[in-house]
Amino acid sequence: LYRLPFRTMLNDVVQGEAELWSSTYDSILSPMLSNPEKQVILRWYVECTSTRELRPDELLCEIDQLSWGRSVGFGEVKLSEPTVNLDGLGQDLLRLADLTQHAMTSSNAVLSFQIHGYSLRAYITEIVPDTSITAMLEITSITFPRSVQDLPSFVSRQNLDRLVRLHEVFWNNCLKKTPNANPHQSTFDLAV
């Protein structure tokens, strides 16, 4: 509540992706997807412009002793614009697909999410049972509040169920390691 403005601001008031993340999404998603006791942290990933590597805006990482361990989730943020930037959104979605597919070597499933303005779409990536096909499935779509005045419409049973679903799908599927498991055998659980 302390990070949201009291009244809805104009679309062009938000200065950048990091500000959008910290003012709207971080206070809701970090407690849902991070747990220091379980050695999992959702963090904003500072982009390094000196390399051409695929880098997400957010990382869900396990902590391996005193360093960052394997990635179990990725996120991309785009500001909403007067004209929707479909090319940028498509590139972000492809980046998420590529990052999650590469992270599948050590996980049964990997979470990803794409933020466009105040809308969030969350995906889970898993190998389809009895095939070598990797599928990226949308698990939820939520519109987040722009201000404190928007909170009553955000705190609905439907949105709370969607947040619970996101939490449960992540914690029940993405932290299972697959060192010797059959990559064609699914352990994916979408039931909430």
Side-chain angles (χ1 to χ4, degrees):
L1 285 178
Y2 294 110
R3 294 183 184 180
L4 288 175
F6 184 73
R7 292 192 176 96
T8 302
M9 308 284 280
L10 298 173
N11 282 341
D12 59 357
V13 172
V14 176
Q15 298 298 313
E17 295 173 353
E19 182 180 350
L20 178 64
W21 170 257
S22 64
S23 66
T24 305
Y25 294 96
D26 184 50
S27 58
I28 295 172
L29 292 180
S30 287
M32 285 178 47
L33 301 175
S34 295
N35 187 335
E37 291 176 2
K38 293 184 179 181
Q39 305 291 318
V40 177
I41 302 291
L42 174 62
R43 63 189 183 113
W44 179 259
Y45 193 64
V46 179
E47 233 178 284
C48 177
T49 57
S50 63
T51 64
R52 308 263 313 150
E53 292 180 43
L54 288 176
R55 293 183 180 237
D57 293 328
E58 292 87 29
L59 279 174
L60 265 162
C61 295
E62 288 186 329
I63 299 172
D64 185 11
Q65 295 185 12
L66 298 177
S67 63
W68 297 113
R70 70 187 176 112
S71 297
V72 293
F74 304 94
E76 284 291 333
V77 177
K78 281 280 183 269
L79 298 175
S80 61
E81 301 171 6
T83 304
V84 177
N85 181 356
L86 293 177
D87 183 52
L89 291 171
Q91 287 179 11
D92 280 356
L93 189 58
L94 288 173
R95 182 178 303 117
L96 289 173
D98 189 42
L99 289 165
T100 55
Q101 182 179 12
H102 284 91
M104 291 291 298
T105 59
S106 61
S107 297
N108 284 342
V110 179
L111 179 77
S112 60
F113 55 89
Q114 185 175 29
I115 293 169
H116 178 233
Y118 293 90
S119 298
L120 174 135
R121 291 186 184 275
Y123 305 92
I124 194 86
T125 302
E126 193 216 19
I127 295 175
V128 176
D130 301 320
T131 71
S132 60
I133 298 171
T134 302
M136 185 175 183
L137 308 167
E138 182 177 330
I139 54 173
T140 194
S141 176
I142 305 170
T143 300
F144 276 67
R146 295 173 180 251
S147 66
V148 173
Q149 288 179 328
D150 291 345
L151 281 175
S153 62
F154 175 71
V155 184
S156 67
R157 175 63 188 236
Q158 183 180 27
N159 280 345
L160 294 176
D161 286 345
R162 289 175 178 172
L163 290 169
V164 167
R165 180 177 174 85
L166 174 62
H167 177 268
E168 294 296 321
V169 167
F170 173 70
W171 289 104
N172 290 336
N173 296 286
C174 296
L175 299 178
K176 298 175 182 175
K177 297 180 182 177
T178 57
N180 297 321
N182 178 356
H184 303 295
Q185 181 178 359
S186 175
T187 58
F188 191 55
D189 178 18
L190 276 179
V192 175

